[in-house]
Structures are given as C-alpha cells and as structure tokens.
Amino acid sequence: MAVRAAPRAVPGRVAYINARLLDPATGLDAHGAVLTDGEIVIDVGPGLFAGGVPESIEVIDCKGACLAPGLVDMRVHLREPGEEHKESLRSAGESAVAGGVTSMVCLPDTDPVIDDVAAVEFVARRARLIGLAKVYPYAAATKGLEGRDVAEIGMLAEAGALGFTDADRAIGDARIMRQVLSYSATFDAIVIQHPEEPSLAAGGAMNEGELATRLGLAGISPAAEAILLERDMRLVELTGCRYHAAHVSTAEGVAILRAAKSRGLPVSCDTAPPYFALNELAVGDWRTFAKLSPPLRAEADRQAVVAGIADGTIDTIASDHAPQDQDSKRLPFVQAAFGGVGLETLLPITLDLHHNGHLSLLDAIGRVTWAPARLLGLPAGRLKAGAAADLILFDPDSPWVVDPDRFRSKSKNSPFDGRPVQGKVLRTVVDGRAVFVADA
Amino acid sequence: MRTSNRIAAAKPAPVVEARLPAPPFRFPHRHLLGIDGLGPEEITFLLDLADGFVEQNRRADRKSSLLRGRTVINLFFESSTRTRTSFELAGKRLGADVINMQVAASSVTKGETLIDTAMTLNAMHVDVLVVRHSESGAVKLLSEKVNCAVVNAGDGSHEHPTQALLDALTIRRLKGRIQGLQVAICGDVLHSRVARSNIHLLNAMGARVRLVAPCTLLPAGIERLGVEVFHDMRKGLADSDIVMMLRLQSERMKGSFIPSVREYFHFFGLDYEKLKAAKPDALIMHPGPMNRGVEIDSDLADDVERSVVLQQVEMGVAVRMACLAALGGERGAAEAA
C-alpha cells in the first residue's frame, strides 16, 4: 500500500499563551506561555509574552489548560506489517495523537518480525511519511523471536533500534538470555524482557487463583513473573547489561525490582494502566477484553504496583497497546487472543494515579513523558527551548466515559470499556503541527 | 646467538637484568605445558635460542645434529596440519627421529585412551612428546604419567605456548623489543588458547595487553589476567603497536556467541578502516588459518606491508626447535648456548 506524504506546510511561529506549563524533568509547573518556531520550541516561561504577543505570531489561547510534552509510549504493538486489519501505522498514529502520544516505541512482533535492518528502516520510513506520532522501533532480541539465536543487535542498534526484546515472548532459556544480555552489553544496548517464565505460564489464560478456579480456567501463577525476574536479575549481575522489565504486574515482581535497584543493578521497569487500574475481577464472566498478557492480577498485586509507581520502583507507564480484531476476541476465553488497546486511555488512566493521590500531576505526567524518553535516550519528553515542538494541551479533570467505538484505533478491544475517566487531550502537536484537535 | 640485552636494555630499572642467569643457562623445567608460570628470563632464553635457529633455517644446509639419536613423538589428539608440520620440521632439523601419531579423540573413552597411550609411549623410551588435545588440562595429565619431556602443542582453551613464543619472536625481531609495546588481541578470546598464552607471555615481558571482543566472546574474570578490555575496535586498537587477530571457529559464527558473520565482520573484523586507529606501523598477526572476510579483510591479510602472518609461520619452526632443544636433553641447551 503506497503512502503519500501528507502535504505539510512548515509551521511558522506559534505562541501558546495562558497555559499551565508542565515540564516534569525540571519540576516546572507554572502559568505561562510557549513559543514554537517551525518544529522547535524556542521559548518557555511564566513571563513570556507578559507584554502581549507580536502580531506576526499565531496565537493559541490555552485558556488555563495544561501544556506538557507529548506522551512517550514505550510499548506499543504495531500490527503493520502483517496484520493491517488490526492496526496500520496510520491508524496507530491517529490513535496515538488522539491520546496525546507524540512518540511511540513499537515492538518487533510484526509479520515479518523486525529482526533485520531493512525492517527497522521500513517502519521508520513509513511512520515519517504518515507524519503523525513519531515511531521508534525496538528490534528482536533473538532471530524470529524464537529464543534461540541472538539477533544482529549491533547492526540493528546502528540502524536505530532503541532496544531489544522478543515482545510478548519471554526468553526462557537461561543460557540464551545470558548471551543476549552479554552481547547487548557489548553495544550498551538495553534489553526489554516480558517477565513470565514461559514453561510455567504455558496454557494459562488468566491469573491463577480462586477466580480462575471458579471460572474453570487454567491459571498463570504470579510466581511465573517472580521466577523469571529473579533469574534475570542474576544474569544482569553477571553481564552488566541494561535491562528493562515490561509490564510488571505482581507484588513480588515489584519487590524483586526494588531490591535489584537498591543493589545498584542497571535495571528499570514499566507497568501498563490495566495493572494499576484493574484487577482479575475485570475478567468477570469470561470477558475476553480483559484477557491480557501478563494477566490481570489480584487486588493485593494491583496495590503493590501502585505503591511501586509511587515510590519510583516502577519508572515508567506504557500503554502496552495490543490491537486485536473481533475475530481474535469473540471466542471462548481460552481461545481468545491476549492484549488490549491502550493508546487513547494512557493519559486518563495514568491521571487516575494523580486523582487518587498517589502521584502529583507533574510526576504522573513525568512517567509517560520524560522518564521513558530518558530511559531510551529519545530526544523527547521535555518542555524547554531547543526541544522538538511535540506538545499536548490537556484538561486533567475533564470527565468522559471510555467508548471504544469512538477510538481512532482500528481495534476496539479495550479493557476499560465503559469506564468513567478524567483527563482529556485537547490538542496534540508534533513537530509544531497540530495533528489532533479535540471537538469543542 | 643473540643475548637478551635487547630486552633488558629497554627496561627502565635494571632489576631483571640483575636476575638474568649466567650462561650456560639451562631451561629449568622438565616440560613446557604453558607460558603461565614462566619468568621473563626463561622466555628470553627460549627466544634467544630460537633466534639462532632462524639463521640455521635460512642456510642451505638446515640440519644440525643437536638432537641426534633422540626421539620426538608428535601425539595429536586433535587434527592439525600447521603445528604438527612445524614440530616435525623442527625435530628433523635438529636431527631427531620424529614420529607423528594422530589419535582420534572420539574413538575411545578419552581418559583411558590418554593415559594408556602415555604409558605405552613411555615404555618406548621417547625423549620428547609433543601433545595436542582438545581438552584443557589433558597435556598436564599426560605429563604426569611419563618420564620424558612434554611440550604442549595446544590443549583445549587453556594454552598454546609455542604459538605465544613464535608471536613474541616475530614481534621482537620486527620491533626490536616487547617491553612497552601495546598489543591488541582481538576476537574469540573465550575459546582461544592462543590468547591466553599470549596474555601471559606479553604481560611477563612487560607489554600492555588489550583485548577487543564482544562480551559473548570474553571469558569471565579475564580482566584479572592483566588486560584492558574493549568492545569497540577503534577504541581498542588506538595507538596499538601490534594487532593480533584470533580465529573465529566456524561453529561459533552463527548462533548465540555472535549473530552472524556479517555483523561480526562489521564490528570486529579487521579492515583498513579500523586499522587506522592503530599506529601507522602497527603489525597485524594471526595464528592461522585465517577466515578471510570473517575476522580479517582479505586484502589486508595479504598486505605484506602490514601482515606478518608468514613471518609467524617461519618463526614457528625456529621456536619449536628451541623448545625441543631446551627440553630434549642437557646437550641441547648447552650446545646451543
């Protein structure tokens, strides 16, 4: 499918005035204005335009709404190439900017797998042509995500792969994982693990426990996460490789990472909104939209994840956007695919943490902007002169109800279907261009 | 024969010179099982001895009678053409009777075969056994069972002392010294006995040793052996006098140690571009046989201005003559000195 470059006028100078400026990196939270010129922010400050805006500059009156760096979503399943009926780069881009995401990092579990330089370049080039949210690829840690042979990590990193992961497959073989970490350390590359011991989790459909027993479903024990994380911490210690645990979901997982960090290991982790906003009860009567990988856990695990976010053990929050079509979800629970869409609910569910008093507004925004950008070395997530003009204007309090039918994503499989939330994206700006403006 | 004052003179303090033995110096070991444990004076003794044999090998009549009547057996449990031929020539040029025995290591249970073979040969009154084995420590085990001298011609990933000595002789003859040189050893250090022997020898002789390899091809704790570790060829080669490339075994080219030959060559294969980081007169060495286009660019391998691979082969015979002479009988060392 050919993609023509959208006609893109180079934006001139734009002044965003009367805004609540948020820059989590510096702790800036003040009323003021931002001036962009073309693709770049050239000035930020409380006193900016105190004497009025010169006539030659376009003015956007933010009316007191929050102006922050665009969200950086460090875990998105793209379905292009291979499964464009679930999500294309364009629909993912539209979904992203509607959710305030201006940079997303995509997983390599496409078809074909992103495990060679050509595939990395394909994704980067296609996303550039579409011109919505910026797309940065991870590449496979092992060839074909098969967990056997180390991928060409050096050349893939040179081609722009931000990190190395087998997406939703854990690298189960300890020797191979050691080689992946060791080889990645050669290039100071970061390895992202799906922390779930595969042989223990095999065949499971939801969290192991009373509810699974009542529903007659095979469970995935929380121990699957703990076992793999414990093993990986030892391998990180052996190899010195930078390691990131994706979507941590259990109390034990959080505790293992907390201990590893306090020992000075080069580890980090994220979680996804379902793991701090939902628990296994969301599975209810075999609700396949709540079938996620890892599975939604018990309430005590959810609370531990919240505590992990609050104390900084969990560095970042990522959507773990995993589009699935109806044919993949309208099935008996065991047969249904894992995953939920999340780009358009990342901001409001993250703001739950603020509204519930677990994080300051600035800190909540930091976990989805500056923190992932810093972790992956992305030039994003900052509201400062010289940064790319990737911005969002949002109202943190505005209430709405999640209605997947209104999602821009091609897939509607949200575990938050029908949930009342607060926090609405009003405008999304990528490289100085308004790529999303909410209906008034 | 050269004296060792070239090396001694290069040292800032005369400590080693004072410890140099007065001739006639006898090699004080019964076997040559490794470089680890040899002192600079012992290494220098072997190199000096080998220097003399280089001249002998260049004469029309290359044969001497230093080891006449002695028996050398090349006992190879692992296939080898170069090293075995080199030892065979070395023995013959010293007038010894040389017998080659190629033993298939896989045919019988290894431990039994090894010791049985050793006992059998021992009963035949052999003077020097030259042994190669695919298992580390096998040569040492064999040496404990025999009355004759044993030369390690390579055991597993442990040591290959004559390779390190021939490398040292090549360096000393071309650079005039070893002390103070910066040597970068690049590639599959993990599986390399050549690398281990060279690390020991170069450290003993006062060179600065760097290793350049992906983390997957570096053994644990290697930095404790007195080397500086790099993962980037340009950084590791910077200001190096010698670039030693290691052979990447084909069975390690695709899989978990490295992802592919193309990636390996891209980052760790020596080519003209990466060589620019080294000193302009840096020498390129390789223990052979080379994998062209894997660890070394083919044109560079053939560049006589830079590559000293063929000199290494020539020095190999001389060094092995020195080792056989030093161990082959009291007569050997004394007459050569």
Side-chain angles (χ1 to χ4, degrees), chain A residues 87-335:
Chain A
E87 193 85 287
S88 65
L89 273 162
R90 176 173 292 281
S91 69
E94 285 171 352
S95 180
V97 296
V101 174
T102 56
S103 296
M104 53 182 169
V105 191
C106 64
L107 293 158
D109 56 343
T110 47
D111 180 17
V113 168
I114 302 176
D115 66 356
D116 65 19
V117 168
V120 168
E121 287 170 353
F122 167 83
V123 170
R125 191 182 67 248
R126 283 268 299 163
R128 252 196 325 275
L129 285 172
I130 292 166
L132 294 165
K134 295 170 180 173
V135 177
Y136 301 91
Y138 292 125
T142 67
K143 289 172 190 163
L145 309 177
E146 286 173 354
R148 285 199 296 268
D149 296 325
V150 180
E152 290 171 322
I153 284 168
M155 294 205 289
L156 289 162
E158 273 191 350
L162 287 189
F164 297 87
T165 178
D166 279 1
D168 276 354
R169 298 192 195 180
I171 299 173
D173 185 306
R175 189 181 61 86
I176 299 297
M177 186 60 182
R178 180 186 185 166
Q179 296 291 63
V180 165
L181 291 170
S182 177
Y183 194 71
S184 299
T186 307
F187 304 97
D188 195 29
I190 187 167
V191 173
I192 295 106
Q193 174 76 296
H194 170 70
E196 185 176 67
E197 210 296 314
S199 60
L200 194 57
M206 69 169 292
N207 188 44
E208 188 171 289
E210 181 191 336
L211 188 62
T213 299
R214 287 180 185 279
L215 293 173
L217 294 172
I220 298 171
S221 168
E225 183 168 296
I227 289 170
L228 205 71
L229 282 174
E230 286 280 19
R231 181 204 76 177
D232 282 355
M233 292 308 104
R234 282 160 172 74
L235 296 177
V236 167
E237 198 153 17
L238 278 181
T239 57
C241 183
R242 290 196 292 141
Y243 175 96
H244 180 86
H247 45 220
V248 173
S249 67
T250 65
E252 268 199 283
V254 174
I256 290 163
L257 286 156
R258 188 179 286 126
K261 285 182 162 192
S262 72
R263 270 162 55 219
L265 295 183
V267 298
S268 55
C269 63
D270 69 69
T271 194
Y275 305 110
F276 61 80
L278 297 174
N279 64 28
E280 60 186 346
L281 296 175
V283 172
D285 300 324
W286 300 276
R287 216 172 130 252
T288 60
F289 279 12
K291 183 177 178 183
L292 306 176
S293 176
L296 292 170
R297 300 290 188 185
E299 175 59 14
D301 290 310
R302 187 195 71 82
Q303 288 180 14
V305 169
V306 171
I309 296 169
D311 73 9
T313 300
I314 296 175
D315 303 85
T316 64
I317 298 167
S319 74
D320 207 7
H321 182 77
Q324 300 291 0
D325 57 4
Q326 294 288 359
D327 292 345
S328 310
K329 282 290 192 181
R330 206 177 287 156
L331 290 168
F333 197 86
V334 170
Q335 294 168 15

Side-chain angles (χ1 to χ4, degrees), chain A residues 186, chain B residues 182-190 195 199 209-219 222 227-238 240 242-246 248 264 267-270 274 277 295:
Chain A
T186 307
Chain B
Q182 184 173 301
V183 183
I185 303 177
C186 312
D188 186 1
V189 178
L190 179 63
I199 290 167
V209 184
R210 292 176 159 196
L211 302 180
V212 192
C215 300
T216 40
L217 293 178
L218 288 165
I222 188 76
V227 296
E228 209 182 339
V229 174
F230 292 83
H231 307 304
D232 180 293
M233 285 286 273
R234 286 167 192 84
K235 288 178 190 157
L237 262 51
S240 287
I242 307 288
V243 181
M244 279 188 183
M245 300 308 296
L246 299 173
L248 186 68
Y264 187 75
F267 291 103
F268 297 100
L270 186 65
K274 295 182 194 108
E295 67 257 356

Side-chain angles (χ1 to χ4, degrees), chain B:
Chain B
M1 184 199 126
R2 285 163 201 261
T3 58
S4 54
N5 55 15
R6 295 161 94 185
I7 287 168
K11 299 202 175 193
V15 181
V16 172
E17 195 169 27
R19 279 168 47 217
L20 274 177
F25 174 73
R26 249 189 249 161
F27 192 67
H29 304 281
R30 201 171 129 217
H31 308 299
L32 178 64
L33 300 177
I35 299 293
D36 194 13
L38 293 189
E41 65 281 7
E42 291 157 8
I43 293 164
T44 302
F45 168 78
L46 290 173
L47 296 181
D48 290 348
L49 201 53
D51 254 332
F53 291 126
V54 173
E55 307 314 320
Q56 178 183 326
N57 286 335
R58 287 174 179 176
R59 290 201 307 260
D61 178 8
R62 300 181 179 90
K63 195 139 175 167
S64 71
S65 56
L66 212 55
L67 292 184
R68 196 176 58 203
R70 310 281 165 135
T71 305
V72 175
I73 295 189
N74 284 333
L75 180 57
F76 277 59
F77 294 90
E78 185 184 76
S79 65
S80 157
T81 312
R82 297 162 160 253
T83 306
R84 202 208 60 217
T85 308
S86 185
F87 269 108
E88 185 177 351
L89 273 177
K92 286 180 172 167
R93 284 184 184 165
L94 293 172
D97 297 318
V98 183
I99 292 164
N100 292 322
M101 285 185 65
Q102 183 85 40
V103 186
S106 57
S107 60
V108 202
T109 312
K110 285 173 197 168
E112 278 181 3
T113 304
L114 185 66
I115 291 169
D116 284 352
T117 310
M119 303 298 275
T120 307
L121 294 173
N122 198 43
M124 296 181 189
H125 299 290
V126 174
D127 296 286
V128 183
L129 264 178
V130 177
V131 185
R132 166 168 291 190
H133 200 284
S134 58
E135 301 292 340
S136 304
V139 180
K140 170 80 163 60
L141 177 64
L142 191 143
S143 75
E144 289 163 359
K145 302 289 174 189
V146 295
N147 298 326
C148 62
V150 173
V151 177
N152 182 358
D155 65 323
S157 304
H158 173 231
E159 281 231 41
H160 191 357
T162 57
Q163 178 71 43
L165 288 164
L166 76 87
D167 289 340
L169 185 63
T170 308
I171 294 170
R172 202 176 75 169
R173 288 177 67 99
L174 290 169
K175 291 287 185 188
R177 65 196 170 100
I178 296 172
Q179 163 127 34
L181 294 181
Q182 184 173 301
V183 183
I185 303 177
C186 312
D188 186 1
V189 178
L190 179 63
H191 302 100
S192 178
R193 52 196 174 211
V194 174
R196 285 171 178 76
S197 287
N198 264 312
I199 290 167
H200 295 312
L201 187 146
L202 292 165
N203 273 325
M205 300 303 286
R208 292 194 309 280
V209 184
R210 292 176 159 196
L211 302 180
V212 192
C215 300
T216 40
L217 293 178
L218 288 165
I222 188 76
E223 61 286 343
R224 301 286 299 267
L225 270 57
V227 296
E228 209 182 339
V229 174
F230 292 83
H231 307 304
D232 180 293
M233 285 286 273
R234 286 167 192 84
K235 288 178 190 157
L237 262 51
D239 299 319
S240 287
D241 298 284
I242 307 288
V243 181
M244 279 188 183
M245 300 308 296
L246 299 173
R247 175 178 166 77
L248 186 68
Q249 304 288 336
S250 57
E251 61 271 24
R252 284 152 198 150
M253 286 182 196
K254 195 172 167 295
S256 59
F257 291 105
I258 58 156
S260 64
V261 166
R262 68 176 171 181
E263 170 138 332
Y264 187 75
F265 185 75
H266 181 70
F267 291 103
F268 297 100
L270 186 65
D271 56 21
Y272 282 103
E273 186 55 40
K274 295 182 194 108
L275 186 61
K276 281 180 189 163
K279 283 189 181 163
D281 62 346
L283 303 177
I284 300 168
M285 307 181 75
H286 193 296
M290 289 183 284
N291 292 302
R292 291 165 183 267
V294 179
E295 67 257 356
I296 189 162
D297 175 71
S298 197
D299 290 343
L300 188 53
D302 294 331
D303 186 339
V304 291
E305 300 290 310
R306 310 306 299 268
S307 165
V308 297
V309 171
L310 296 178
Q311 283 97 314
Q312 287 174 272
V313 176
E314 185 192 356
M315 294 307 120
V317 178
V319 151
R320 282 157 188 144
M321 288 167 80
C323 294
L324 293 177
L327 298 173
E330 296 179 26
R331 209 163 38 126
E335 283 180 20

